[in-house]
Amino acid sequence: EAVSDEAYLVDYDYSDKDRLRTEGRILKVSRDKLFRASLTDYTTLREGEVAIEDRLPSLVTDLVLERRYRIGPGELRLGLDAASIFRASDIDQLGRDTAEIGLNADWFSSDILGPGLVWQNRARLAGTFYAVEQDSRFDATPMRLAGTLATELRLPLQRTGAAGTHHLIEPVVQLAYTRQNGDTVPNEDSQLVEFDEGNLYALSRFPGDDAIETGLRANVGISYTGYNTDGTGIGLTFGRILRTEAVKAFFPGTGLAGDRSDWLLAGRLSFGAMLDLTARSVFNAGFDTKKTETRLALRTDRFGLEGAYVWLDGERR
């Protein structure tokens, strides 16, 4: 993606994009193997960023290799990942360039106990080597080793009514412990943190690998799903995270800071292929809301309509 000048897309009402991306990617996926490699170039069109474009990540490379093995009742995944970020500037800190290569091993197992309890266990070990240039706050070649142990119990309770309506209630308790050793590394890929139903039971709420959620914690919640034969349905998720020690790595606005996270309440209402309504909210024990998001999608044979409302508290330390 390229333009002759920064205002081209807006002047000709062609697109509202304010950042352009040029990418080459190779992807191969089979039952037990994954290979992904990409090279991406970013160009900003934002008025406030053009003057400092040399300080923004412009060239990003990414490589992932993963192989899984079935061993007895469990599964072993071995992986290698590598990535780099280049900035054109030579200014210390503002022009930081980074590269990293890591090896990781994950073990999964799942069993059914007694009255239908689903017991899942996971262990992860990851070692990463970094190369950092043009940032005096970090060593030139920092290294880090991190290990995680987790166990989880789910009790799915389901019922199907005479009209075909299906109900599923599932309480979940997950215990996880993570410890890391090594040097301080730059955080390039985990600056924007979200707390939602997709990562309530994740081993780390950070979206990337540069930052890791550590310590002993319990992820607890309950969900309900109900759907009919005509495609209509409803889904609800409610939960929070409890820790033995306060975590300072998360901004307060995320709802994840401290020794107890805020409460998460998320829901979805679906009327077949015509209407979808999703909403989620993060709030504390005093019902002070940190963030609220509602999205609506309406589709018919002749038109479609989508809208969203988002309210966010400031992410300040």
Side-chain angles (χ1 to χ4, degrees):
E1 295 179 328
V3 294
S4 56
D5 63 84
E6 288 85 359
Y8 178 86
L9 299 179
V10 176
D11 287 348
Y12 291 93
D13 197 23
Y14 185 77
S15 170
D16 59 358
K17 276 190 174 183
D18 55 9
R19 283 185 179 139
L20 303 181
R21 183 179 70 178
T22 301
E23 182 181 44
R25 178 187 297 175
I26 300 174
L27 177 66
K28 182 179 181 180
V29 182
S30 61
R31 180 178 178 84
D32 297 314
K33 298 178 183 178
L34 166 68
F35 172 77
R36 184 182 73 239
S38 66
L39 176 65
T40 309
D41 176 79
Y42 292 96
T43 302
T44 184
L45 303 179
R46 297 183 178 183
E47 183 177 354
E49 292 182 348
V50 172
I52 60 168
E53 186 170 8
D54 62 341
R55 305 176 192 177
L56 303 177
S58 58
L59 191 63
V60 179
T61 62
D62 181 59
L63 172 69
V64 175
L65 293 170
E66 189 174 288
R67 180 72 184 268
R68 68 175 187 173
Y69 303 89
R70 290 286 183 180
I71 302 176
E75 177 181 301
L76 175 65
R77 295 183 185 178
L78 300 178
L80 179 147
D81 60 87
S84 68
I85 294 178
F86 171 77
R87 295 174 174 86
S89 173
D90 293 328
I91 302 175
D92 182 47
Q93 300 183 24
L94 298 178
R96 180 177 66 210
D97 300 326
T98 61
E100 59 93 3
I101 183 168
L103 296 172
N104 57 80
D106 286 86
W107 168 261
F108 303 84
S109 68
S110 181
D111 295 290
I112 306 297
L113 304 179
L117 277 169
V118 180
W119 184 29
Q120 297 179 329
N121 295 286
R122 180 174 179 180
R124 176 178 174 83
L125 183 65
T128 311
F129 172 82
Y130 286 80
V132 182
E133 295 183 351
Q134 293 157 198
D135 196 331
S136 57
R137 297 171 298 180
F138 301 96
D139 295 338
T141 56
M143 294 180 289
R144 185 183 64 193
L145 183 66
T148 300
L149 294 173
T151 186
E152 176 183 294
L153 285 174
R154 295 173 177 260
L155 182 59
L157 304 169
Q158 57 183 341
R159 177 179 180 271
T160 301
T165 303
H166 184 80
H167 305 274
L168 173 64
I169 298 176
E170 189 174 42
V172 181
V173 176
Q174 181 191 70
L175 295 177
Y177 175 75
T178 301
R179 180 174 179 177
Q180 66 173 344
N181 291 293
D183 306 308
T184 302
V185 302
N187 181 8
E188 296 278 12
D189 62 8
S190 295
Q191 292 291 336
L192 182 60
V193 180
E194 296 288 345
F195 181 32
D196 56 34
E197 65 274 25
N199 62 19
L200 176 59
Y201 307 115
L203 297 187
S204 177
R205 255 55 61 168
F206 288 105
D209 298 323
D210 292 341
I212 300 174
E213 187 175 352
T214 59
L216 179 63
R217 55 208 180 271
N219 307 321
V220 296
I222 186 169
S223 62
Y224 165 77
T225 303
Y227 59 88
N228 301 308
T229 55
D230 60 1
T232 60
I234 185 173
L236 296 170
T237 300
F238 183 65
R240 75 185 310 189
I241 303 159
L242 308 174
R243 304 184 180 94
T244 56
E245 296 182 0
V247 174
K248 299 179 180 180
F250 296 111
F251 290 111
T254 63
L256 292 165
D259 59 352
R260 297 184 179 186
S261 77
D262 291 334
W263 291 99
L264 167 70
L265 177 62
R268 178 184 179 185
L269 183 63
S270 176
F271 292 91
M274 180 179 177
L275 178 66
D276 272 314
L277 176 65
T278 59
R280 63 180 58 89
S281 183
V282 176
F283 53 89
N284 61 22
F287 295 99
D288 296 322
T289 303
K290 295 293 180 64
K291 61 177 62 177
T292 295
E293 178 182 5
T294 303
R295 297 184 180 273
L296 175 69
L298 176 64
R299 297 173 293 272
T300 70
D301 294 337
R302 301 187 63 181
F303 71 92
L305 176 66
E306 294 187 13
Y309 169 80
V310 179
W311 186 92
L312 301 175
D313 193 11
E315 287 197 0
R316 56 188 179 272
R317 289 193 179 275

